[in-house]
PDB file of all heavy atoms in Angstrom:
ATOM      1  N   GLU B 122      11.264   9.117 157.019  1.00 97.00           N
ATOM      2  CA  GLU B 122       9.930   8.839 156.455  1.00 97.00           C
ATOM      3  C   GLU B 122       8.937   8.435 157.524  1.00 97.00           C
ATOM      4  O   GLU B 122       7.772   8.789 157.485  1.00 97.00           O
ATOM      5  CB  GLU B 122      10.011   7.641 155.485  1.00 97.00           C
ATOM      6  CG  GLU B 122      10.391   7.971 154.061  1.00 97.00           C
ATOM      7  CD  GLU B 122      10.768   6.694 153.291  1.00 97.00           C
ATOM      8  OE1 GLU B 122      10.242   5.602 153.646  1.00 97.00           O
ATOM      9  OE2 GLU B 122      11.628   6.801 152.385  1.00 97.00           O
ATOM     10  N   ARG B 123       9.427   7.641 158.475  1.00 98.00           N
ATOM     11  CA  ARG B 123       8.538   7.093 159.489  1.00 98.00           C
ATOM     12  C   ARG B 123       8.488   7.937 160.762  1.00 98.00           C
ATOM     13  O   ARG B 123       7.799   7.590 161.712  1.00 98.00           O
ATOM     14  CB  ARG B 123       9.008   5.669 159.850  1.00 98.00           C
ATOM     15  CG  ARG B 123       8.841   4.726 158.680  1.00 98.00           C
ATOM     16  CD  ARG B 123       9.424   3.365 158.948  1.00 98.00           C
ATOM     17  NE  ARG B 123       9.007   2.466 157.883  1.00 98.00           N
ATOM     18  CZ  ARG B 123       8.162   1.443 158.045  1.00 98.00           C
ATOM     19  NH1 ARG B 123       7.697   1.163 159.236  1.00 98.00           N
ATOM     20  NH2 ARG B 123       7.807   0.703 157.021  1.00 98.00           N
ATOM     21  N   GLY B 124       9.234   9.030 160.779  1.00 97.00           N
ATOM     22  CA  GLY B 124       9.245   9.877 161.972  1.00 97.00           C
ATOM     23  C   GLY B 124       9.823   9.184 163.195  1.00 97.00           C
ATOM     24  O   GLY B 124       9.408   9.433 164.330  1.00 97.00           O
ATOM     25  N   VAL B 125      10.778   8.305 162.982  1.00 98.00           N
ATOM     26  CA  VAL B 125      11.357   7.538 164.092  1.00 98.00           C
ATOM     27  C   VAL B 125      12.686   8.159 164.524  1.00 98.00           C
ATOM     28  O   VAL B 125      13.585   8.334 163.704  1.00 98.00           O
ATOM     29  CB  VAL B 125      11.595   6.065 163.666  1.00 98.00           C
ATOM     30  CG1 VAL B 125      12.421   5.322 164.705  1.00 98.00           C
ATOM     31  CG2 VAL B 125      10.262   5.368 163.440  1.00 98.00           C
ATOM     32  N   PRO B 126      12.817   8.516 165.797  1.00 98.00           N
ATOM     33  CA  PRO B 126      14.073   9.114 166.258  1.00 98.00           C
ATOM     34  C   PRO B 126      15.193   8.078 166.411  1.00 98.00           C
ATOM     35  O   PRO B 126      14.930   6.894 166.588  1.00 98.00           O
ATOM     36  CB  PRO B 126      13.720   9.705 167.619  1.00 98.00           C
ATOM     37  CG  PRO B 126      12.551   8.925 168.082  1.00 98.00           C
ATOM     38  CD  PRO B 126      11.809   8.452 166.868  1.00 98.00           C
ATOM     39  N   ILE B 127      16.395   8.591 166.327  1.00 97.00           N
ATOM     40  CA  ILE B 127      17.584   7.749 166.502  1.00 97.00           C
ATOM     41  C   ILE B 127      18.366   8.250 167.708  1.00 97.00           C
ATOM     42  O   ILE B 127      18.665   9.442 167.809  1.00 97.00           O
ATOM     43  CB  ILE B 127      18.494   7.807 165.252  1.00 97.00           C
ATOM     44  CG1 ILE B 127      17.763   7.195 164.046  1.00 97.00           C
ATOM     45  CG2 ILE B 127      19.831   7.092 165.505  1.00 97.00           C
ATOM     46  CD1 ILE B 127      18.530   7.300 162.735  1.00 97.00           C
ATOM     47  N   ARG B 128      18.678   7.342 168.614  1.00 97.00           N
ATOM     48  CA  ARG B 128      19.598   7.723 169.687  1.00 97.00           C
ATOM     49  C   ARG B 128      21.017   7.370 169.275  1.00 97.00           C
ATOM     50  O   ARG B 128      21.295   6.228 168.901  1.00 97.00           O
ATOM     51  CB  ARG B 128      19.268   6.998 170.997  1.00 97.00           C
ATOM     52  CG  ARG B 128      20.409   7.112 172.023  1.00 97.00           C
ATOM     53  CD  ARG B 128      19.977   6.934 173.450  1.00 97.00           C
ATOM     54  NE  ARG B 128      19.542   5.601 173.774  1.00 97.00           N
ATOM     55  CZ  ARG B 128      20.316   4.655 174.341  1.00 97.00           C
ATOM     56  NH1 ARG B 128      21.604   4.920 174.605  1.00 97.00           N
ATOM     57  NH2 ARG B 128      19.818   3.473 174.621  1.00 97.00           N
ATOM     58  N   ILE B 129      21.869   8.365 169.369  1.00 95.00           N
ATOM     59  CA  ILE B 129      23.296   8.136 169.199  1.00 95.00           C
ATOM     60  C   ILE B 129      23.793   7.656 170.558  1.00 95.00           C
ATOM     61  O   ILE B 129      23.908   8.435 171.499  1.00 95.00           O
ATOM     62  CB  ILE B 129      24.010   9.427 168.763  1.00 95.00           C
ATOM     63  CG1 ILE B 129      23.465   9.885 167.406  1.00 95.00           C
ATOM     64  CG2 ILE B 129      25.514   9.217 168.729  1.00 95.00           C
ATOM     65  CD1 ILE B 129      23.919  11.267 167.004  1.00 95.00           C
ATOM     66  N   GLY B 130      24.022   6.359 170.649  1.00 94.00           N
ATOM     67  CA  GLY B 130      24.313   5.764 171.954  1.00 94.00           C
ATOM     68  C   GLY B 130      25.790   5.459 172.100  1.00 94.00           C
ATOM     69  O   GLY B 130      26.221   4.349 171.842  1.00 94.00           O
ATOM     70  N   VAL B 131      26.542   6.461 172.535  1.00 93.00           N
ATOM     71  CA  VAL B 131      27.981   6.264 172.731  1.00 93.00           C
ATOM     72  C   VAL B 131      28.196   5.481 174.021  1.00 93.00           C
ATOM     73  O   VAL B 131      27.556   5.753 175.036  1.00 93.00           O
ATOM     74  CB  VAL B 131      28.718   7.622 172.830  1.00 93.00           C
ATOM     75  CG1 VAL B 131      30.195   7.403 173.142  1.00 93.00           C
ATOM     76  CG2 VAL B 131      28.536   8.414 171.555  1.00 93.00           C
ATOM     77  N   ASN B 132      29.070   4.527 173.960  1.00 88.00           N
ATOM     78  CA  ASN B 132      29.407   3.722 175.128  1.00 88.00           C
ATOM     79  C   ASN B 132      30.931   3.664 175.218  1.00 88.00           C
ATOM     80  O   ASN B 132      31.590   3.241 174.269  1.00 88.00           O
ATOM     81  CB  ASN B 132      28.811   2.320 174.936  1.00 88.00           C
ATOM     82  CG  ASN B 132      28.983   1.470 176.162  1.00 88.00           C
ATOM     83  OD1 ASN B 132      30.087   1.362 176.697  1.00 88.00           O
ATOM     84  ND2 ASN B 132      27.907   0.889 176.638  1.00 88.00           N
ATOM     85  N   ALA B 133      31.455   4.102 176.362  1.00 87.00           N
ATOM     86  CA  ALA B 133      32.921   4.157 176.515  1.00 87.00           C
ATOM     87  C   ALA B 133      33.579   2.843 176.128  1.00 87.00           C
ATOM     88  O   ALA B 133      34.618   2.832 175.477  1.00 87.00           O
ATOM     89  CB  ALA B 133      33.274   4.506 177.958  1.00 87.00           C
ATOM     90  N   GLY B 134      32.940   1.743 176.496  1.00 79.00           N
ATOM     91  CA  GLY B 134      33.534   0.432 176.274  1.00 79.00           C
ATOM     92  C   GLY B 134      33.635   0.041 174.823  1.00 79.00           C
ATOM     93  O   GLY B 134      34.436  -0.812 174.462  1.00 79.00           O
ATOM     94  N   SER B 135      32.795   0.636 173.979  1.00 76.00           N
ATOM     95  CA  SER B 135      32.832   0.217 172.582  1.00 76.00           C
ATOM     96  C   SER B 135      33.282   1.331 171.638  1.00 76.00           C
ATOM     97  O   SER B 135      33.068   1.249 170.438  1.00 76.00           O
ATOM     98  CB  SER B 135      31.473  -0.344 172.167  1.00 76.00           C
ATOM     99  OG  SER B 135      30.452   0.587 172.408  1.00 76.00           O
ATOM    100  N   LEU B 136      33.890   2.384 172.186  1.00 82.00           N
ATOM    101  CA  LEU B 136      34.547   3.356 171.302  1.00 82.00           C
ATOM    102  C   LEU B 136      35.686   2.612 170.607  1.00 82.00           C
ATOM    103  O   LEU B 136      36.395   1.839 171.243  1.00 82.00           O
ATOM    104  CB  LEU B 136      35.142   4.526 172.106  1.00 82.00           C
ATOM    105  CG  LEU B 136      34.182   5.612 172.570  1.00 82.00           C
ATOM    106  CD1 LEU B 136      34.952   6.643 173.402  1.00 82.00           C
ATOM    107  CD2 LEU B 136      33.495   6.300 171.408  1.00 82.00           C
ATOM    108  N   PRO B 137      35.866   2.870 169.314  1.00 73.00           N
ATOM    109  CA  PRO B 137      36.971   2.173 168.647  1.00 73.00           C
ATOM    110  C   PRO B 137      38.290   2.481 169.353  1.00 73.00           C
ATOM    111  O   PRO B 137      38.528   3.619 169.764  1.00 73.00           O
ATOM    112  CB  PRO B 137      36.965   2.774 167.237  1.00 73.00           C
ATOM    113  CG  PRO B 137      35.622   3.399 167.072  1.00 73.00           C
ATOM    114  CD  PRO B 137      35.142   3.779 168.430  1.00 73.00           C
ATOM    115  N   VAL B 138      39.104   1.486 169.525  1.00 70.00           N
ATOM    116  CA  VAL B 138      40.370   1.650 170.234  1.00 70.00           C
ATOM    117  C   VAL B 138      41.242   2.708 169.565  1.00 70.00           C
ATOM    118  O   VAL B 138      41.959   3.468 170.225  1.00 70.00           O
ATOM    119  CB  VAL B 138      41.131   0.299 170.304  1.00 70.00           C
ATOM    120  CG1 VAL B 138      42.497   0.481 170.951  1.00 70.00           C
ATOM    121  CG2 VAL B 138      40.327  -0.717 171.084  1.00 70.00           C
ATOM    122  N   GLU B 139      41.130   2.794 168.225  1.00 74.00           N
ATOM    123  CA  GLU B 139      41.964   3.758 167.501  1.00 74.00           C
ATOM    124  C   GLU B 139      41.418   5.180 167.591  1.00 74.00           C
ATOM    125  O   GLU B 139      42.044   6.119 167.123  1.00 74.00           O
ATOM    126  CB  GLU B 139      42.128   3.328 166.029  1.00 74.00           C
ATOM    127  CG  GLU B 139      40.899   3.478 165.137  1.00 74.00           C
ATOM    128  CD  GLU B 139      39.855   2.360 165.292  1.00 74.00           C
ATOM    129  OE1 GLU B 139      39.999   1.519 166.214  1.00 74.00           O
ATOM    130  OE2 GLU B 139      38.893   2.328 164.509  1.00 74.00           O
ATOM    131  N   PHE B 140      40.212   5.353 168.234  1.00 72.00           N
ATOM    132  CA  PHE B 140      39.596   6.677 168.259  1.00 72.00           C
ATOM    133  C   PHE B 140      40.225   7.551 169.348  1.00 72.00           C
ATOM    134  O   PHE B 140      39.894   7.444 170.518  1.00 72.00           O
ATOM    135  CB  PHE B 140      38.081   6.549 168.461  1.00 72.00           C
ATOM    136  CG  PHE B 140      37.330   7.850 168.340  1.00 72.00           C
ATOM    137  CD1 PHE B 140      37.048   8.394 167.096  1.00 72.00           C
ATOM    138  CD2 PHE B 140      36.930   8.555 169.472  1.00 72.00           C
ATOM    139  CE1 PHE B 140      36.363   9.596 166.976  1.00 72.00           C
ATOM    140  CE2 PHE B 140      36.249   9.760 169.364  1.00 72.00           C
ATOM    141  CZ  PHE B 140      35.968  10.282 168.110  1.00 72.00           C
ATOM    142  N   LYS B 141      41.121   8.437 168.950  1.00 76.00           N
ATOM    143  CA  LYS B 141      41.736   9.423 169.836  1.00 76.00           C
ATOM    144  C   LYS B 141      42.148   8.855 171.198  1.00 76.00           C
ATOM    145  O   LYS B 141      41.647   9.286 172.249  1.00 76.00           O
ATOM    146  CB  LYS B 141      40.766  10.589 170.048  1.00 76.00           C
ATOM    147  CG  LYS B 141      40.270  11.120 168.696  1.00 76.00           C
ATOM    148  CD  LYS B 141      39.468  12.387 168.815  1.00 76.00           C
ATOM    149  CE  LYS B 141      38.836  12.705 167.466  1.00 76.00           C
ATOM    150  NZ  LYS B 141      39.112  14.025 166.954  1.00 76.00           N
ATOM    151  N   PRO B 142      43.050   7.904 171.221  1.00 75.00           N
ATOM    152  CA  PRO B 142      43.391   7.237 172.484  1.00 75.00           C
ATOM    153  C   PRO B 142      44.050   8.157 173.511  1.00 75.00           C
ATOM    154  O   PRO B 142      44.041   7.843 174.699  1.00 75.00           O
ATOM    155  CB  PRO B 142      44.350   6.117 172.048  1.00 75.00           C
ATOM    156  CG  PRO B 142      44.872   6.546 170.718  1.00 75.00           C
ATOM    157  CD  PRO B 142      43.794   7.358 170.072  1.00 75.00           C
ATOM    158  N   ASP B 143      44.603   9.293 173.062  1.00 83.00           N
ATOM    159  CA  ASP B 143      45.314  10.153 174.017  1.00 83.00           C
ATOM    160  C   ASP B 143      44.432  11.209 174.672  1.00 83.00           C
ATOM    161  O   ASP B 143      44.889  11.945 175.545  1.00 83.00           O
ATOM    162  CB  ASP B 143      46.497  10.842 173.307  1.00 83.00           C
ATOM    163  CG  ASP B 143      47.440   9.803 172.716  1.00 83.00           C
ATOM    164  OD1 ASP B 143      47.553   8.711 173.311  1.00 83.00           O
ATOM    165  OD2 ASP B 143      48.024  10.085 171.652  1.00 83.00           O
ATOM    166  N   VAL B 144      43.185  11.288 174.208  1.00 89.00           N
ATOM    167  CA  VAL B 144      42.276  12.318 174.723  1.00 89.00           C
ATOM    168  C   VAL B 144      41.530  11.729 175.928  1.00 89.00           C
ATOM    169  O   VAL B 144      41.215  10.540 175.941  1.00 89.00           O
ATOM    170  CB  VAL B 144      41.303  12.719 173.587  1.00 89.00           C
ATOM    171  CG1 VAL B 144      40.222  13.651 174.075  1.00 89.00           C
ATOM    172  CG2 VAL B 144      42.081  13.335 172.421  1.00 89.00           C
ATOM    173  N   PRO B 145      41.240  12.564 176.969  1.00 92.00           N
ATOM    174  CA  PRO B 145      40.487  12.036 178.122  1.00 92.00           C
ATOM    175  C   PRO B 145      39.141  11.449 177.701  1.00 92.00           C
ATOM    176  O   PRO B 145      38.532  11.906 176.726  1.00 92.00           O
ATOM    177  CB  PRO B 145      40.283  13.268 179.008  1.00 92.00           C
ATOM    178  CG  PRO B 145      41.326  14.237 178.594  1.00 92.00           C
ATOM    179  CD  PRO B 145      41.614  13.972 177.152  1.00 92.00           C
ATOM    180  N   LEU B 146      38.672  10.465 178.465  1.00 91.00           N
ATOM    181  CA  LEU B 146      37.468   9.716 178.103  1.00 91.00           C
ATOM    182  C   LEU B 146      36.262  10.609 177.808  1.00 91.00           C
ATOM    183  O   LEU B 146      35.562  10.412 176.803  1.00 91.00           O
ATOM    184  CB  LEU B 146      37.136   8.727 179.236  1.00 91.00           C
ATOM    185  CG  LEU B 146      35.853   7.918 179.063  1.00 91.00           C
ATOM    186  CD1 LEU B 146      35.874   7.120 177.769  1.00 91.00           C
ATOM    187  CD2 LEU B 146      35.644   6.988 180.260  1.00 91.00           C
TER     188      LEU B 146
END
Side-chain angles (χ1 to χ4, degrees):
Chain B
E122 274 166 28
R123 294 174 170 248
V125 170
I127 295 175
R128 166 157 68 96
I129 298 170
V131 176
N132 186 310
S135 56
L136 281 177
V138 176
E139 72 281 8
F140 187 78
K141 309 188 189 234
D143 302 328
V144 173
L146 176 57

